[in-house]
Amino acid sequence: MSAAPSRVAEASTADPAPSRPAGLDALHGALEAAGFAPRPERAPDPTPDPAAPRRARRAAVEVRREPDIDYAATAALAEEGFGAAPGTFTAEGLRWLYERAFTDGTTVLAAHADGRKVGHIALVHQTVTMPAGPERAVALMDLFIIKAFRSKAAMAALYGAVERFCRDEGIRFIVAVPNGNAAGVNVRYLSLVEAARLEIRVGFGGFGGLGRRVDSRSVAELDPADGRALLDRFCGTEPGSLLWTGARMWDRLSKPGAGYALHATDDLLLVSAPRRDRRAAHTLLCALLPRPGATPARRDVGAVVSAACRLHRRPLFVYAGINGGVPLPGMLLPGRLRPSPMILQLRDFTEGAPPFAPSRFEAIDFDFA
């Protein structure tokens, strides 16, 4: 159920933020660096650009499936659509996200007008574990329309194509992790509902092993076969979470330049990554995976978190997610300091089914990590 956060094309007008102590400002910066100022998968502003040519504003938008993705062209168009800095999107990064990050591949629905591609949405295929067995899902990612072609009609066309695709292909779930601007758009056009509010937790680690032996390894230094074998020990099929196996998780950890590391006790595995912005370096806690059948203690959690902070030489850590299988580390961030809503939205196409109850959903399960 990984899902990319969304943002509206145009920055919204807001009251100035209240002043914060310097320490909290640094913490907020760390959260932004971790991805909690989210990746710009976007619900475009449906208001047309007043400066756009009338012909472009009136152009009908047709949405169709893109069979062969030109990653270099898509990266350039995404930067135009998002108004992003050069290098924000790369062909290598998009290829990893669409083909390897969640194993099951990606369907791209492209918007065309005036003989050219003017936007798209990526439906990243995933498998969700449910009490009755695995179910198919898609996560909404990288939704954009370039400025001259934004309109309510274009938005409705893209979202309508998403719903038709899911119904035609027998997809049970749509999931998303939107920012504040996009959450309402997902509700309006796709009837998504809030399934969970992710916790954002922060703290400091690296002060000792807490009586637990921890095996810490950089993913880049691991032999692939050894890495998959280690991950297999901790990847289960608990209902209410994404399906992970050692092979699937190894592909997820192949993200270019991410710097992932693994930290394991007998009962618990932590996936971590170093992150930095101009204000604060920190350790991102991407996933806490208990060994199937085990009940990790708080000391296990403290030990792997401290090992991660020591390995990355970043004592400040940030965690985002929910996990009913382990005691969560750190201090819960107050709502007034949350830089993003961090909610999991969902739509279930199975009428009358029991509500989906997520048991574990963390940064590794969407594209923040």
Side-chain angles (χ1 to χ4, degrees), residues 8-279:
V8 174
E10 299 297 328
S12 60
T13 303
D15 294 332
S19 60
R20 292 184 296 236
L24 290 181
D25 189 63
L27 176 58
H28 198 273
L31 293 168
E32 291 176 343
F36 307 130
R39 170 190 174 90
E41 176 250 318
R42 162 187 319 257
D45 183 350
T47 305
D49 177 13
R54 288 185 179 275
R55 179 183 59 83
R57 291 211 307 267
R58 292 198 303 268
V61 170
E62 177 190 1
V63 179
R64 56 182 182 263
R65 189 168 175 174
E66 191 166 72
D68 299 305
I69 303 170
D70 183 331
Y71 287 105
T74 298
L77 191 65
E79 287 181 350
E80 179 184 355
F82 291 126
T88 301
F89 292 86
T90 66
E92 180 186 30
L94 289 177
R95 183 183 299 277
W96 167 80
L97 177 61
Y98 292 2
E99 296 183 6
R100 298 194 63 189
F102 298 97
T103 304
D104 296 332
T106 296
T107 296
V108 169
L109 301 176
H112 294 261
D114 282 354
R116 59 172 295 201
K117 180 178 175 179
V118 299
H120 93 188
I121 185 168
L123 308 181
V124 178
H125 293 261
Q126 299 172 337
T127 302
V128 176
T129 58
M130 297 292 288
E135 296 282 358
R136 298 173 67 196
V138 294
L140 305 183
M141 297 192 187
D142 296 341
L143 168 61
F144 68 87
I145 300 173
I146 63 175
K147 195 169 186 178
F149 293 88
R150 291 174 197 157
S151 67
K152 292 180 180 179
M155 177 76 83
L158 265 176
Y159 274 114
V162 171
E163 179 165 351
R164 286 191 300 275
F165 174 83
C166 291
R167 291 188 182 279
D168 291 346
E169 296 295 321
I171 304 295
R172 177 167 176 181
F173 294 113
I174 298 175
V175 296
V177 182
N179 72 7
N181 291 328
V185 178
N186 288 345
V187 172
R188 177 181 178 183
Y189 287 93
L190 268 179
S191 302
L192 270 62
V193 299
E194 182 176 324
R197 183 168 294 267
L198 309 186
E199 294 189 20
I200 301 178
R201 306 183 72 93
V202 297
F204 291 91
F207 307 115
L210 302 178
R212 295 289 194 273
R213 179 183 177 276
V214 180
D215 181 12
S216 288
R217 305 187 190 186
S218 167
V219 168
E221 298 172 354
L222 270 173
D223 175 79
D226 292 341
R228 294 186 189 99
L230 174 61
L231 291 166
D232 261 330
R233 290 171 46 202
F234 297 94
C235 290
T237 57
E238 179 185 4
S241 62
L242 274 190
L243 172 64
W244 289 112
T245 64
R248 282 173 172 262
M249 185 63 77
W250 185 257
D251 278 348
R252 176 67 178 86
L253 300 182
S254 67
K255 181 178 181 179
Y260 293 116
L262 305 177
H263 319 272
T265 67
D266 290 339
D267 291 336
L268 181 66
L269 175 73
L270 167 65
V271 180
S272 71
R275 294 292 181 263
R276 174 190 296 275
D277 78 346
R278 67 182 185 277
R279 289 172 288 187

